[in-house]
Amino acid sequence: MRRAAAAAAAGLLALATPALAQPRETLTIGIIQYPSTFHPNIDAMAAKSYVLGFARRPLTAHGADWQPLCMACESLPTLENGGARRETTPDGKPGIRVTYRLRADARWGDGRPVSAEDLRFAWEAGRDGATGFGGAEFYRSAYELIVEDERTVTLRYDKVTFDYNVAGDFQPLPAHIERARWQQEPRSYRNRTAYDTETTNPGLWSGPWRITAVQPGAGVTLERNEAWTGPAPAFRRIQIRTVENTAAMEAQLLAGQIDMIAGELGLPVEQAAALERRTGGRFRIEYKPGLVYEHLDLRLDAPPLDDRRVRQALLMAIDRAQIVARLFEGRQVVAETGVNPLDPMHDPNAPHWPHDPARAAALLEAAGWRPGPDGIRRNAAGERLTIELMTTAGNRARESVQQVVQGMWRQVGVEARIRNEPPRVLFGETLSRRRFTGAALFAWISSPENVPRTTLHSEEIPTESRNWSGQNYGGYRNPEMDALLEALPQELDRERRRALWSRFQAIFAEDLPELPLWFRADAHVWPRWLDGVQPTGHLNPSSLWAERWRVKQP
């Protein structure tokens, strides 16, 4: 650890030297969260995605234009180019086979080629429910993987979907390192993976950089990957520092201890706007609206949130438009459901809940919650209407929202008790193992026209028997919603799919499986001398294209 700290100090000293005298070799980036794991397929967390963007290349991704593209493969397979073709499954259903050919120059950091065996291992581990990988529906649907040759695999799916060629979280894993660990005991593999026990092993990484040092909870150092054969990155070293308090992060930026703040996990927009006003043109700041959905996840299978009337009342008690105007300078878009207005399947006519404290109070009365002597409502058994309200500790914007929501709920007789945790604990333990009891404030980041099966389908409720895979943390169950989530991907006609999306949004607005707040704009803060960073506005972070980042010449 001392060697890692010394390297960072040397990099910062280099940054203090004029560019003409000594080139910038280190880029130091601030983010507000630290990954709970570095394994690509375990636990969905934006911090992990951002860090791994420098060190890995997924099979496919969505670009800044929101269109799918190949990254580790040669070309995107389609029905038109013959890379995909319809077929009938062994049990007589319509299916599809999709063939991916890996790039010939794809290498792990130890020099081994990224191969079909690496995809086969990822598929086998994902198919075993004891492993606990995310994206369980993908592994259920992809019922066969055929190795065509050392660089080519064909996946056979038991259904035809409109996004059949988007691999999502399915990506190669280094079988020569991980397979034996997994075979030893699949259920405990997630705690023994080399991604967390040997994070600096070069063979884990296939991107322009590889992780060479970690300081748990504090930072990650990446150095150029000598096995990388793509465009040469400008920086020899990427230093990522986790600063979980946004005020402290801003102070480090102003002191020159970090060069940039990642928009994906950085300053809230109002803090960035205030920084911009104070510092003039010192930094380049870009506000990128996108598919970042801030909401309250709710524990739905226990009182009081199992009552839909209570959920509706809680939402109407929150003046979301006022919060956006006062806390975020009007830069966020109020959400009515989880479908962003930027998404082509957004329905502007979907039902919505206005700010209406009187109607909220009436709903709570109807649900059996009546005001007590201190103003907090109680049920017939005398139990107080108290909801634990959690978020990521140190995020100043979210903590401010908590305080405002707490006050607004109090006005209708609901007591909110605030309890926050570090992001790696909240996401790695409390949510994923369903240890929360009330409401959790955080964001989902999605891709364009993303069907939220993993967060809303009843089969995606994390359980110990499935090793806590799935992201339906609240425990939402609705047979009609399940049917829609299954039908949506299989409807290839865009207009018929639009009708299904409209029904989805209507059910969502009525049931409120989670409380929609707003769609976030991210504030990207860069030094003036950095060029080439391109925010995407969706779940694939800008770091996936960091080899294109360059230092501007004076």
Side-chain angles (χ1 to χ4, degrees):
M1 293 304 174
R2 290 194 186 96
R3 286 195 296 272
L12 290 172
L13 185 60
L15 292 182
T17 307
L20 290 177
Q22 182 172 337
R24 299 180 188 270
E25 293 197 331
T26 299
L27 179 67
T28 305
I29 304 170
I31 63 175
I32 61 171
Q33 297 175 8
Y34 187 84
S36 60
T37 175
F38 290 97
H39 194 291
N41 302 82
I42 298 172
D43 289 349
M45 192 175 179
K48 180 184 72 173
S49 296
Y50 187 80
V51 172
L52 298 194
F54 296 98
R56 288 183 58 88
R57 285 297 172 265
L59 199 55
T60 68
H62 284 84
D65 61 359
W66 292 23
Q67 298 302 308
L69 51 81
C70 259
M71 296 209 79
C73 50
E74 288 186 344
S75 62
L76 196 69
T78 67
L79 290 167
E80 291 74 22
N81 65 21
R85 62 183 177 87
R86 296 173 184 266
E87 64 176 14
T88 301
T89 66
D91 56 359
K93 297 191 301 184
I96 193 169
R97 60 169 57 209
V98 183
T99 299
Y100 292 99
R101 184 161 178 79
L102 292 164
R103 294 172 57 95
D105 59 356
R107 293 284 186 277
W108 299 110
D110 57 8
R112 285 182 178 246
V114 179
S115 72
E117 284 303 313
D118 299 320
L119 287 171
R120 191 214 298 266
F121 164 58
W123 177 79
E124 289 175 349
R127 289 275 292 177
D128 187 335
T131 309
F133 278 9
E137 171 59 17
F138 165 84
Y139 296 105
R140 283 193 292 267
S141 181
Y143 65 90
E144 185 178 9
L145 182 143
I146 303 166
V147 173
E148 309 284 1
D149 59 41
E150 62 184 10
R151 289 199 288 124
T152 309
V153 301
T154 294
L155 287 164
R156 301 182 73 192
Y157 296 92
D158 64 1
K159 59 176 68 75
V160 182
T161 65
F162 70 86
D163 57 352
Y164 62 86
N165 56 4
V166 178
D169 289 332
F170 176 62
Q171 52 184 298
L173 294 174
H176 64 290
I177 296 174
E178 292 285 82
R179 184 185 288 278
R181 289 171 178 260
W182 174 72
Q183 288 177 330
Q184 180 182 346
E185 174 51 56
R187 177 160 291 279
S188 63
Y189 165 69
R190 64 186 296 149
N191 300 316
R192 295 180 293 100
T193 169
Y195 281 100
D196 293 327
T197 60
E198 300 176 16
T199 310
T200 61
N201 186 330
L204 300 172
W205 311 115
S206 60
W209 293 268
R210 61 183 180 88
I211 294 178
T212 56
V214 294
Q215 290 181 281
V220 178
T221 300
L222 302 102
E223 304 275 350
R224 276 188 195 140
N225 183 358
E226 298 302 322
W228 171 257
T229 58
F235 300 99
R236 182 169 63 86
R237 179 185 300 113
I238 301 289
Q239 186 77 36
I240 299 177
R241 292 185 179 173
T242 297
V243 186
E244 293 183 338
N245 182 286
T246 56
M249 180 181 292
E250 181 181 325
Q252 290 193 23
L253 177 75
L254 293 172
Q257 295 171 327
I258 58 178
D259 299 314
M260 64 176 277
I261 297 176
E264 291 88 345
L265 298 115
L267 301 181
V269 292
E270 80 287 354
Q271 187 176 349
L275 173 69
E276 188 173 21
R277 288 191 292 269
R278 291 198 314 273
T279 59
R282 178 176 172 185
F283 302 102
R284 179 184 168 196
I285 301 179
E286 180 175 323
Y287 303 92
K288 178 71 174 179
L291 304 178
V292 186
Y293 167 53
E294 202 82 17
H295 72 291
L296 287 168
D297 240 39
L298 306 174
R299 185 62 188 260
L300 301 173
D301 47 8
L305 296 174
D306 58 345
D307 190 326
R308 184 168 63 182
R309 295 168 296 183
V310 173
R311 303 195 296 269
Q312 293 168 350
L314 290 176
L315 186 58
M316 284 194 291
I318 303 172
D319 192 341
R320 293 170 291 167
Q322 184 186 75
I323 294 174
V324 165
R326 294 191 175 183
L327 294 186
F328 302 113
E329 300 194 356
R331 294 178 184 267
Q332 319 287 36
V333 177
V334 171
E336 303 300 345
T337 69
V339 181
N340 194 303
L342 295 173
D343 195 292
M345 293 301 165
H346 174 258
D347 183 357
N349 299 314
H352 66 279
W353 296 98
H355 175 54
D356 192 337
R359 190 176 169 195
L363 277 172
L364 293 173
E365 289 278 345
W369 296 96
R370 290 174 172 77
D374 58 355
I376 299 301
R377 294 178 180 271
R378 290 166 169 79
N379 62 13
E383 298 168 325
R384 294 165 65 87
L385 183 49
T386 300
I387 295 172
E388 183 179 69
L389 182 57
M390 304 185 71
T391 195
T392 49
N395 186 310
R396 190 167 75 179
R398 285 180 177 157
E399 289 172 345
S400 296
V401 170
Q402 277 182 309
Q403 297 289 333
V404 175
V405 169
Q406 185 182 48
M408 291 176 173
W409 282 354
R410 175 83 191 200
Q411 291 177 7
V412 297
V414 179
E415 179 181 48
R417 292 183 178 174
I418 293 175
R419 183 175 74 84
N420 297 335
E421 293 179 339
R424 61 188 180 278
V425 177
L426 181 65
F427 295 116
E429 295 290 333
T430 303
L431 290 174
S432 62
R433 294 176 183 255
R434 307 194 67 224
R435 292 174 177 166
F436 72 116
T437 62
L441 171 61
F442 65 96
W444 287 123
I445 307 174
S446 66
S447 57
E449 201 177 343
N450 179 268
V451 178
R453 178 189 172 105
T454 187
T455 61
L456 294 177
H457 197 288
S458 61
E459 291 182 352
E460 302 295 337
I461 299 172
T463 61
E464 186 173 8
S465 64
R466 288 180 49 190
N467 210 358
W468 308 108
S469 65
Q471 295 170 317
N472 185 350
Y473 303 140
Y476 178 58
R477 295 178 184 273
N478 181 322
E480 186 182 359
M481 180 66 86
D482 283 354
L484 268 175
L485 293 170
E486 292 165 12
L488 267 167
Q490 299 180 65
E491 180 52 71
L492 305 189
D493 183 272
R494 189 178 181 86
E495 291 310 309
R496 286 200 292 266
R497 197 162 69 245
R498 188 183 304 280
L500 295 177
W501 273 112
S502 292
R503 180 58 187 153
F504 165 87
Q505 290 165 79
I507 296 174
F508 185 105
E510 182 68 20
D511 262 8
L512 291 181
E514 57 208 24
L515 300 189
L517 297 178
W518 40 80
F519 294 103
R520 207 171 72 203
D522 286 334
H524 297 258
V525 184
W526 311 313
R528 288 285 176 184
W529 48 259
L530 181 64
D531 198 17
V533 184
Q534 193 170 16
T536 67
H538 56 68
L539 60 75
N540 294 130
S542 57
S543 54
L544 272 174
W545 294 271
E547 68 272 21
R548 302 177 185 175
W549 299 0
R550 291 290 180 264
V551 176
K552 289 183 180 179
Q553 295 303 313

